[in-house]
Amino acid sequence: MIPSSENECFPPLVSILIRSINRLPLLQQALASVVQQSYSRIEILVVAAVPDHPVMPAACGPHPLHLISSDCPRHRCRAANVALDAANGAYLLFLDDDDWLLPGHLEKLAAALTEAPDLLAAYTGVQPIDEDGQPKGGPIDLPFDALRLLAGNLMPLHAVLFRRQVIDLGCRFDENLDLFEDWDFWLQIACHSRFVHVPGVSACYRIHASSGVHAMAPSVGSAYARIYGKWRHLWNEGQLAGIMAQVWNYPELQERVTEQQEHITGQQVLITEQRNRITEQQRLIIRLEDRISALQLQLRRQDQLLDERKKHIEAIWRSSSWRVTRPLRGVSKVIAYLPLLNQAVRNPVRAWRFLRRAAGKTRDWAGLQQQLDGKIRADGDYSTWISRFEPVSECYPRLRQVADSWYQPPIISVVMPTYNSDPELLEAAINSVLGQVYPHWQLCIADDASDSPGVKALLERHAATDSRIQVVFRLVNGHISAASNSALALARGDFVALLDHDDLLHPLALWFVAQCCIERPEAGVIYTDEDKLSADGQRCGPYFKCDFNYELLLAQNMLSHLGCYRRSLLEEIGGFREGFEGSQDYDLALRAMERLRPEQIVHIPRVLYHWRIVAGSTASSMGEKPYALTAAQRALAEHLQRRGITAEVMPAPEIPLHTRVRFPVPKPAPLVSILIPTRDRANLLRLCIDSIRELTTYAPYEIIVVDPGSEDADTLQWLDRFRQSGIRVLQEHGEFNFSRFNNQAAAQARGKVLCLMNDGIEIITPDWLEEMVSFAVQDGIGAVGTRLWHPDQRLQGGGVILGLGGVAGPSFLNCERGNIGYFGRAALHQSLSAVTAACMVVRKSVFEEMGGFDERLAVTFHDVDFCLRLRQAGYRNVWTPYAEMRHDESASHDQETTSEEQQECLASEVAFMQDRWADELAADPAYSPNLSLGAHAFSLAWPPRVADLS
């Protein structure tokens, strides 16, 4: 056992050892990567390898920093040994001043050493990159092999974390070597211990003109010879014989390499051809975009002409001549309808059927008008929608007067960290605050030690001209969390709004937030919708969000932009946490919502924040800040730990930029009763049950088939076979009624969890039941739904949206596989108001608490009604895309009723739902009032269902 000097009360101290040759911009990047480490106990030693090295601060972020200066140049190996002698840590890691670490690097290596106390060193994968930060070749991430280490270096310098015991064992950098000193050092350690390999890349190795390896390239051959000569005594005869055999086979190997090179050349030719095709396609796209722009302009002109004609028609309607001629127009209509009236008198039954069908199709004239308008506007662009439906600037003075009339209007502190900001964009951001209609605000700016003199002058100018603007200039760059906390320390308002230094607030942003504060005094967090600003300043890409949705928050930061927090709440949770840079606002949102009830998190369904698309911003791509993804996953994992929830956090499979939370199934796993009503559909039922039995990995489960009097001989034969194989078959009688059949089967089910399933279902994902049960058993969860596909791979069910088609309808209907939907919502777990009972999982106790399905809904909407009653009782309904099935919906529903009976049944059940749930159907909290309830869900609503302030 190797002795350990680690204190059991704290994680071991890690010493980061940096040899610096005064490349300050690169050194700052390396130090910034240390600050972003998730590991907490770090000291940093910078050993100057050149004289006159600039003075360094005593701390770098939360970590102490020590500079070891020198009056004369130090050899690279000498500098490394000086660092070894000065280190205090139990674990040590060298970091060259031009490389950097990803946030989880130290944490995973330290964990590997802690789990292997007998070993001296652990290493992981490193990605070589070029001067522009782009990957250069594949990662260096080879498993440990002592023989291979004798032949070549497996591990870049900063890939390895080692114990300080290696120093006591005499391991030092050989100061006679000019190159490969790290390889020699690893060979020394390998004489005492093998290395732990932790797969996966968590550091970057920069390859550029000033890299030491390139500067010494002519001496590489001799440098190899020196290492081989020094360690030649470790080679045995068998290993040397193996090397000679490889030399003998060299011509054959060379021939293979030549073949591979020819193949690669051929592939490169194909790639070039593909790139040329792509270029042509891009040109075509540009031409099409130009054509679209021209058509949009033409459409706007037609809209203007249409508005003018509408006004002209309205003027005619209001005219005296129109009123005077009204009796004559009435007479002409009567004359026109006389032939139809004559037919109706002769055949009253036919006339009644016609009127009833017409009434069924035009139940809601207002809704019909909206649907027609939606179809007309389906291709309408966002800029037209803005001009039509956002409050016009002419109403701003009136809204200012409204704000002046409020008793004790809240003060809103806008917090903005800056660092080397683009002066033009920073000016625009500040002006967007100055241009607020609501006057009771405070702008708190913290500059994070910018070295751009123009930024400081700009901030000082604004602070001098408006007393509501306060600025603090930080002396040391601490990154965005520290800078945000410095700005937060200036805040004196009731609420704090977060604004990035290159984004904009809508002129009414703070007015709406203040109105919400007054109308919802219990609010602790307020968030709004957002859109993006293109490079030319055009608003685009609006994200119309739903109301607070916990399961969606576990997948994406839906509270950001514009996010506002009660200041006392931020003080209670300690503001921003350092170490979560890139996702510090997500970590803040998770910690804030832990202190609130869901109703205290309030959504304003208006676009009040404009997120600018600039290089390096996640508005253009989350991939711009890969460290943000790591920080988000860690913030989410810690949130779940604080809530006492055991779960695994991972990238969402179809959207790795977002997250998936995978809850465990309880041990022992509860018995699941799968309830399948069917009638005379042997082919469907057999496919359904075979797929369950062949693919399902969950256990235990039972299958209960409900048969309301099948007459088909083949079906009866298969039902008998199912009985013999252990499946329970319940015989029911009477008219086909989904609700009654499921209720009767649930009463006889032995499982603690019920799975309600149509007979047209075919399983796709083997762990479907683990996924659904793991959600269903969580506290507060009611029903759990799944992702259903048509047999032709189009999406049939991405959950249910209230109000679609008059009552409810499937979201993302007919989306192609691979389409992630509106802001990822077709591929992320989330809460929904309702899920379909084509496959629904719910605890039996909860099903019984609700009284099961309402049997007055025999065919449709029984699942929607059930889910709404669950929500009314305080449960959340969850939809997960990670349990997938095919559903032949048309086949399974053919059995229910005849076409004419369906018409009557549907009409009565629609009326039932609209009478019972009128308010809920008009405002689905899992959907936006700015999105359409017509045929195209998640498209713009024309008009939106929000108050018109104009």
Side-chain angles (χ1 to χ4, degrees), residues 51 207 210 289 399 409 419 466 511 634 688 819 883 889 914:
I207 299 175
S210 62
E289 287 176 343
L399 297 177
Y419 176 69
D466 195 316
W511 189 94
R634 187 161 65 90
C688 175
N819 186 337
E889 182 180 32
Q914 291 178 337

Side-chain angles (χ1 to χ4, degrees), residues 498 550-560 565 576 580 582-593 628-629 631-637 639 642 649 659 661:
L498 308 182
Y550 179 63
E551 276 67 33
L552 185 58
L553 181 65
L554 296 182
Q556 62 172 222
N557 184 8
M558 61 174 293
L559 301 185
S560 181
Y565 298 81
F576 294 89
F580 290 86
S583 290
Q584 72 285 343
D585 50 351
Y586 187 37
D587 175 66
L588 186 78
L590 290 168
R591 288 185 292 122
M593 62 82 53
L629 308 179
Q633 291 175 26
R634 187 161 65 90
L636 183 53
H639 160 73
R642 288 191 298 270
V649 176
T659 47
V661 175

